[in-house]
Amino acid sequence: SSGINAEWPLRPGMEAQLKAVETQQRRTESPLGTMQTIPMSFNEAKHEPVIQKGSERKPAEEQLRRDQEVTKESSMSRIAVITSSGTKQNNHHGPISSPKIPVVTTNNSNPAKTPSPSIDLYNSVMHDKERELQKQLIQLQAQYNQSLEERKEKEAMELQMQYAERLQLEENRLVRMAREEQARREQRDLEMQVLSVIKKPLEDLELTDSKPLPDLPRFENCAVSEDAFADVLMIVEFLHAFGEILEIENIPTVNKLQCAILNNQAPEEKEYFIQLLIELLQVAMKDPGFPQSKTPKTATGQSLTAVQLSENTLTEVVRLYQIATTWEDEDSLITMQTVPVWCLKPSQKASLMGHICNELLSSSLVATKLDDSQTEIDNLRKEKWNLECQIKKKKYRLRLCVDTTA
């Protein structure tokens, strides 16, 4: 015991041999193998054994403490034997100072943990599984990256195809619009040429697409000649057009005027002819009147406009009016010197009334009516042109909307 407690010098390498002996002795003599009966569990995350706390822990610790004390005594005795043999061999080196024997201390609170074969096997198995999982994870990651790249390539191809389709559609739309614009331009040019040809004045005999006149039925009860009937139609149309503004009340029809100019007319037809001729003369002498150099006067020197028109004075007034307005029918003028006006031929009567209507065309009332009618026609044409332009614009916009939607 005194040798154990004394401090002896250790030669080089003795500490390692001492640790090896202690480790071997612990493996052979220590009852730690009984610790395998203690229920244990593994921490799967850290792969370390965890000793469960229970009723078997305290007896194991006491047994371990007792085994450590025995191991300490045996190890100290062996150290003493080793050191004694060492001192005998090294006496020639001289005096040796007091040896320093290392004191083996044990911590009863933290008992030594010896690895178990089952734990090593479990750790190795867990490491293998971890490697396999890592390999699988790497493979899955590689597959995911590959599928992601394939999907990106596929999306890029689809986008490229869609872009190409859009470009093709846009190109087709532009080509179609250009063709339509060209067709519209050609159509417009053709219409302008047609309009220029249509507006160009042509003679009737030069017309290539002239249509034959319709076959009209012959006028019934025509009792006058062709020239007289033409004058009758002109007088009737003039009175229907301007009789209201000229304030002529007795506007005749064709049959009524035709019967009035005949020589075998009834008394009421004679009165109608005289009354109509008087109304025409009154309006004609007021407006447009007579030329300045040819103001007619009667034989008594009275102005013609001052003469009161009646059945007795009508013939002389008509004769003087026709002379003042240069009527070309001299035979009628000579005849009226001896014969009253209602006794003239039907053609002469129609020609006389036609001449008065021609003089009334230069009246201010008729000219105003013509100007107003022409202005109204121009306004209607402008409105028609504006409406046609608006219709064309709306058609063009509708066509553009249809093209954009298509």
Side-chain angles (χ1 to χ4, degrees), residues 227-241:
D227 295 337
F229 187 75
D231 291 334
V232 168
L233 289 178
M234 187 268 292
I235 294 166
V236 170
E237 290 296 325
F238 176 81
L239 293 176
H240 277 281

Side-chain angles (χ1 to χ4, degrees), residues 9 47 154 161 172 176 192 232 234 245 275 342 376:
H47 305 290
K154 186 176 179 181
M161 292 176 64
N172 294 336
R176 185 171 64 256
M192 293 298 294
V232 168
M234 187 268 292
I245 62 172
Q275 185 65 30
W342 56 85
E376 185 178 1

Side-chain angles (χ1 to χ4, degrees), residues 197-246:
V197 172
I198 291 174
K199 291 180 179 179
K200 185 178 180 180
L202 292 175
E203 294 294 335
D204 296 339
L205 297 177
E206 294 179 358
L207 295 176
T208 58
D209 56 346
S210 60
K211 297 180 181 180
L213 294 175
D215 295 332
L216 298 175
R218 186 175 178 82
F219 189 80
E220 296 180 359
N221 301 323
C222 184
V224 295
S225 63
E226 295 179 357
D227 295 337
F229 187 75
D231 291 334
V232 168
L233 289 178
M234 187 268 292
I235 294 166
V236 170
E237 290 296 325
F238 176 81
L239 293 176
H240 277 281
F242 305 104
E244 184 178 358
I245 62 172
L246 294 175

